[in-house]
Amino acid sequence: MVAIPCTISNNVPGTDFSLGCDTSLNEIADICDRIKQSATGTKRRVFVVETMGGYCGYLATMSGLAGGADQAYIFEEKFGIKDLQEDVAHMTAKIEDGVQRGLVIRNEHANSNYTTDFIYQLFCEEGKGLFSCRKNVLGHMQQGGAPSPFDRNLGTKLATKAVVHLVKQIHENIRADGTVYTNEADTATLLGVVRRVSKFTPVQELAKETDFEHRIPKEEWWLKLRPLLRIMSKHESVYEMQGISVEDIEKDYDSDMG
């Protein structure tokens, strides 16, 4: 058995990319561009956009990076009311400095209490007199459209490798009477792409790497890209002093000389 991951949510362990996620990501980025373009003639407007993905924040994070979002709220990265207050303050300061539009993205299951409506109403209330706010729930538009070239090529490659692998397994496990039988773990696998390399991973191993309650992998590679969201949006929370203090060096030097 060979399983090929096919879901726009990209929440399958054992692969960095699943078939359909790139097409969906392109659709979301295109829609966000259109939404922002719709406010070209409108000054000072903030958009709150909800994406799909279940509990996996891949689509929200990557579309936020591609679309220049100020924030992307996801389930994997917990947030509270203080974080929302900081984001509102950041948006307010940004617009006061002359930026005309803002974009906030929220994954559909990011938080059961801080819903898309809640975040929308929060920005509406706090932005009174400075900017207006609009809400967009993209829904199943993310699942439509023609497959991207990346998904087309990936599907072809994975299907070819899967068939070759299955034929090989049949030849290796065929019996004298013509039946095929095996109970080896590596004969029931998932074929994925890990660090740009096609990899067959036994399903039994993947069970250890899966959060079954939320249907997401326990480790997700794209989470390392999250800090770029705040850096690119010039969020003050990321600009913290790091390194060695000159004063501390001088004190240590004086104490050593003394």
Side-chain angles (χ1 to χ4, degrees), residues 161-177:
K161 290 180 179 294
V163 171
V164 171
H165 180 75
L166 287 172
V167 172
K168 179 182 177 182
Q169 292 293 327
I170 290 174
H171 287 308
E172 291 179 352
N173 297 284
I174 193 168
R175 293 177 169 181
D177 60 358

Side-chain angles (χ1 to χ4, degrees), residues 7 19 27 48 127 137 163 169 193 198 215 241 246:
T7 170
L19 285 176
E27 287 293 320
V48 178
V137 179
V163 171
Q169 292 293 327
V193 178
S198 299
R215 298 171 63 184
M241 291 186 62
V246 175

Side-chain angles (χ1 to χ4, degrees), residues 67-109:
D70 296 279
Q71 182 57 285
Y73 300 110
I74 63 173
F75 172 79
E76 293 93 338
E77 189 174 279
K78 306 304 179 185
F79 61 95
I81 191 64
K82 291 185 179 180
D83 299 305
L84 293 172
Q85 289 174 336
E86 290 180 0
D87 293 336
V88 170
H90 161 71
M91 188 70 71
T92 301
K94 171 183 173 179
I95 291 180
E96 285 178 342
D97 286 342
V99 178
Q100 299 298 314
R101 292 184 296 280
L103 176 64
V104 174
I105 297 179
R106 178 186 176 275
N107 179 55
E108 59 182 344
H109 293 322

